[in-house]
Amino acid sequence: MSEKTSSTTVTQPTERDLVMSRVFDAPQEMVFKAFSNCAALMQWWGPRLWPTKFCEIDFRPGGVWRYCMRGPAGEEAWGKATYRDIVSPERIAFVDAFTDADGNETPGMAQAQVVVEFAEYDGKTRLTTRATYASPADLKSVLDMGMVDGMTETWDRLEEFLAKHA
């Protein structure tokens, strides 16, 4: 599978991996920083109809980012990223999981090992995210939920955020 949605490139190099990549017209340090604090994340994380309404972050290896996106009918989608490795401003690695409001992982929901890489060239930044799921069925479940469209729209919002704060 390979697909280009707006300016986001999506590939599925293996049956358990989803890779999304996009070039942002902003320096690497600025794009990296947008991932490191709640003040920024709450302005761009989530699709337009599912903005982030709750955020707490401990941005360090071993730290956790908890967030909640709220849908148009008031429904909530809670998530948690547990940071494995952070190399500023080049890479963030974390375990991504769906949770309840108390931070407990949701049984039966796909969990992913995620690596986000930031590569600068000519004042722009290529952002590449690789999510590796435990099984092909787990990857299929998030694809069926609309992960590609949701992340593409999230990155559209990131692009707008970066332009506004340049």
Side-chain angles (χ1 to χ4, degrees), residues 13-41:
T14 75
E15 58 186 14
R16 295 186 318 123
D17 291 312
L18 182 67
V19 177
M20 298 181 71
S21 185
R22 184 166 178 171
V23 175
F24 291 90
D25 190 11
Q28 178 182 16
E29 184 71 41
M30 183 180 188
V31 180
F32 183 89
K33 190 173 179 182
F35 280 76
S36 69
N37 67 82
C38 285
L41 285 160

Side-chain angles (χ1 to χ4, degrees), residues 31-75:
V31 180
F32 183 89
K33 190 173 179 182
F35 280 76
S36 69
N37 67 82
C38 285
L41 285 160
M42 289 188 68
Q43 293 182 56
W44 66 267
W45 185 261
R48 290 189 198 289
L49 295 178
W50 285 81
T52 298
K53 297 299 183 184
F54 170 84
C55 179
E56 64 181 22
I57 194 168
D58 181 6
F59 192 67
R60 64 176 176 81
V64 172
W65 168 38
R66 290 189 58 236
Y67 61 92
C68 178
M69 298 179 298
R70 187 160 298 130
E75 60 271 53

Side-chain angles (χ1 to χ4, degrees), residues 22-29 31 118-127:
R22 184 166 178 171
V23 175
F24 291 90
D25 190 11
Q28 178 182 16
E29 184 71 41
V31 180
F118 307 80
E120 184 167 345
Y121 63 94
D122 294 333
K124 297 182 180 188
T125 302
R126 175 172 295 284
L127 176 64

Side-chain angles (χ1 to χ4, degrees), residues 65-135:
W65 168 38
R66 290 189 58 236
Y67 61 92
C68 178
M69 298 179 298
R70 187 160 298 130
E75 60 271 53
E76 295 182 339
W78 287 85
K80 169 173 86 171
T82 304
Y83 297 108
R84 295 183 301 122
D85 188 39
I86 298 171
V87 180
S88 178
E90 300 166 6
R91 187 170 95 91
I92 304 169
F94 57 92
V95 178
D96 187 43
F98 294 98
T99 69
D100 62 19
D102 295 322
N104 302 306
E105 292 185 21
T106 308
M109 294 298 286
Q111 186 183 78
Q113 301 286 327
V114 179
V115 177
V116 183
E117 295 181 321
F118 307 80
E120 184 167 345
Y121 63 94
D122 294 333
K124 297 182 180 188
T125 302
R126 175 172 295 284
L127 176 64
T128 303
T129 300
R130 175 184 289 267
T132 302
Y133 293 87
S135 70

